[in-house]
Amino acid sequence: MKSKKVRDILDGRSTILIEDGTVNEKALEKERLTIDEFLEQLRKKDVFRVADVEFAVMEQSGDISVMLKKEYQPLTADILGYHISSEEEPKTIIMDGHILSDVLKTAELKEEWVRKELRKLNLTLDQVYIGQIDSKGELSVQTGTESFPKPANSSPKDQITELVKRLQDDLMMRKELASNDKDRLKYQEALDQFRTVMHAYQNKQT
């Protein structure tokens, strides 16, 4: 446990399979990985194109860790510059039709509040299989056959608005990650054209 050299001898070392976007053929041969097996392992990580990978390592456990190139990484709030408050683990306050008093006390809630929230859902306590409180203090319930509250069905207009926002965010991210001014200009032109088209569409709807 104390000696890194001994650990390397007993457990082996991690092997770099892809570095700077380039596959290391000798490393694959060393780990006795065929190309088919390697591609299968990448697909298990939801990676279908080797060119999208910046870095891939075979760990001592035999698992392959993959880091995509920046332009192919999923959009995150951090990349888009959004601040999101930390999420707390949901607390299970109802199980098999019984309120868990200790957990309820920890959540600083009262039984009367729980029963009031259940009435809003047209449910009684004995109908609840699992009841949880999230970090916003909202109650969600499973009956074993249904979940409550029911998700709201968004209209086509709302779905289009959400899709447009995601497309804009994606173009803005690609512009920020562009490696040179020429590419940044292309993304900006695409953004301008996109906004012009959407403005015309919105005017047509009104």
Side-chain angles (χ1 to χ4, degrees), residues 14-20 22 24 27-28 31 55-58:
S14 301
T15 302
I16 298 174
L17 304 177
I18 298 178
E19 187 171 11
D20 295 330
T22 302
N24 187 329
L28 290 179
E31 296 297 339
F55 200 72
V57 178
M58 174 168 275

Side-chain angles (χ1 to χ4, degrees), residues 44-190:
K44 288 180 178 179
K45 301 288 184 181
D46 295 326
V47 177
F48 294 86
R49 196 172 70 151
V50 178
D52 295 350
V53 179
E54 179 71 27
F55 200 72
V57 178
M58 174 168 275
E59 307 291 358
Q60 297 170 7
S61 63
D63 292 332
I64 294 179
S65 300
V66 175
M67 183 177 75
L68 295 174
K69 294 179 179 178
K70 280 188 176 182
E71 58 266 36
Y72 299 112
Q73 292 177 11
L75 282 172
T76 63
D78 181 62
I79 289 175
L80 297 174
Y82 298 147
H83 174 71
I84 298 178
S85 58
S86 58
E87 187 76 14
E88 296 180 5
E89 180 183 357
K91 294 181 174 65
T92 301
I93 61 172
I94 305 174
M95 193 178 294
D96 288 329
H98 297 285
I99 294 176
L100 305 181
S101 301
D102 292 344
V103 181
L104 195 65
K105 185 177 180 181
T106 303
E108 299 181 349
L109 295 172
K110 296 182 178 180
E111 287 192 19
E112 182 54 37
W113 178 87
V114 176
R115 296 179 186 277
K116 180 180 178 182
E117 292 299 306
L118 290 178
R119 285 196 294 271
K120 290 179 182 178
L121 300 174
N122 294 318
L123 293 172
T124 58
L125 186 59
D126 60 346
Q127 291 178 292
V128 180
Y129 185 52
I130 300 172
Q132 294 182 312
I133 293 289
D134 62 19
S135 59
K136 297 178 182 177
E138 296 177 355
L139 177 66
S140 61
V141 170
Q142 301 286 331
T143 66
T145 57
E146 294 183 276
S147 61
F148 295 87
K150 298 288 188 181
N153 293 322
S154 57
S155 66
K157 183 178 180 181
D158 292 336
Q159 293 178 9
I160 291 171
T161 300
E162 178 63 25
L163 180 59
V164 168
K165 184 178 182 304
R166 274 190 281 167
L167 288 171
Q168 283 184 313
D169 288 343
D170 185 63
L171 283 171
M172 289 174 64
M173 180 198 71
R174 292 176 185 276
K175 176 189 171 185
E176 293 298 322
L177 295 177
S179 57
N180 56 67
D181 291 338
K182 183 179 178 181
D183 288 346
R184 274 190 287 274
L185 181 60
K186 286 183 179 179
Y187 284 120
Q188 184 59 54
E189 289 174 350

